[in-house]
Amino acid sequence: MPANTLSKDERLCSRTAIEELFNSSSHRSMTVFPLRVVYVERKRFADEQTLQMLVSVPKKSFKRAVKRNRVKRQVREAFRMSKQPLTELLTERNLTLDVAFIWLDNNLHSSNEVKSKVEKMLRRIGERL
């Protein structure tokens, strides 16, 4: 399987999993402007995906759906391109990680800037594990 993909299995879409991510007492978060990341690590079961993510862009930040969708696309692409080292670490330690990216800024940023911020966050998450 190619490393640089973002399949349906890698997207966090279960309502219970999302509620567990934000309401869990063991969740952690960090901010690298313009993004905030909230994540929780768990023991991995047999056929469970190692890394799942979701992107949230508040309507308060961008009223137009076109801009919200652009930001989500940028974050997903940056995650897809830079997730491999973290995935290998999680597989090695037999863990699974649920990650939520939350956009904080009211302005659009370039794709290169978003990519560097996502890479920085994923590297810091890997260091904390």
Side-chain angles (χ1 to χ4, degrees):
M1 184 163 104
N4 289 338
T5 61
L6 188 63
S7 66
K8 173 70 172 164
D9 294 338
E10 293 175 299
R11 301 208 181 164
L12 189 62
C13 50
S14 165
R15 181 181 291 267
T16 57
I18 294 170
E19 286 176 1
E20 180 183 327
L21 172 64
F22 287 105
N23 296 332
S24 172
S25 62
S26 63
H27 79 269
R28 300 183 200 169
S29 69
M30 69 177 82
T31 302
V32 176
F33 195 78
L35 287 167
R36 177 174 178 245
V37 67
V38 177
Y39 64 96
V40 64
E41 62 190 65
R42 299 182 272 111
K43 244 349 206 178
R44 184 172 172 226
F45 295 109
D47 58 344
E48 194 174 22
Q49 189 68 26
T50 56
L51 185 59
Q52 290 188 319
M53 64 92 68
L54 87 102
V55 180
S56 173
V57 181
K59 197 171 187 177
K60 184 177 181 181
S61 298
F62 300 108
K63 298 296 182 198
R64 305 266 178 189
V66 173
K67 290 183 179 182
R68 289 195 304 272
N69 291 340
R70 176 182 180 224
V71 170
K72 288 189 273 189
R73 197 175 317 115
Q74 286 177 319
V75 173
R76 281 194 307 261
E77 178 68 9
F79 177 80
R80 181 184 74 83
M81 296 300 289
S82 54
K83 69 176 180 172
Q84 188 59 32
L86 186 59
T87 304
E88 291 172 357
L89 179 68
L90 291 168
T91 305
E92 177 184 301
R93 295 189 179 177
N94 199 28
L95 293 172
T96 184
L97 191 70
D98 294 339
V99 180
F101 292 97
I102 303 165
W103 190 261
L104 300 175
D105 197 9
N106 293 335
N107 300 318
L108 295 172
H109 293 268
S110 70
S111 294
N112 290 334
E113 185 178 351
V114 172
K115 185 176 185 225
S116 69
K117 302 295 181 163
V118 170
E119 285 175 350
K120 184 176 183 179
M121 289 180 136
L122 294 178
R123 198 174 329 110
R124 285 175 55 189
I125 289 172
E127 291 169 359
R128 288 185 179 187
L129 295 178

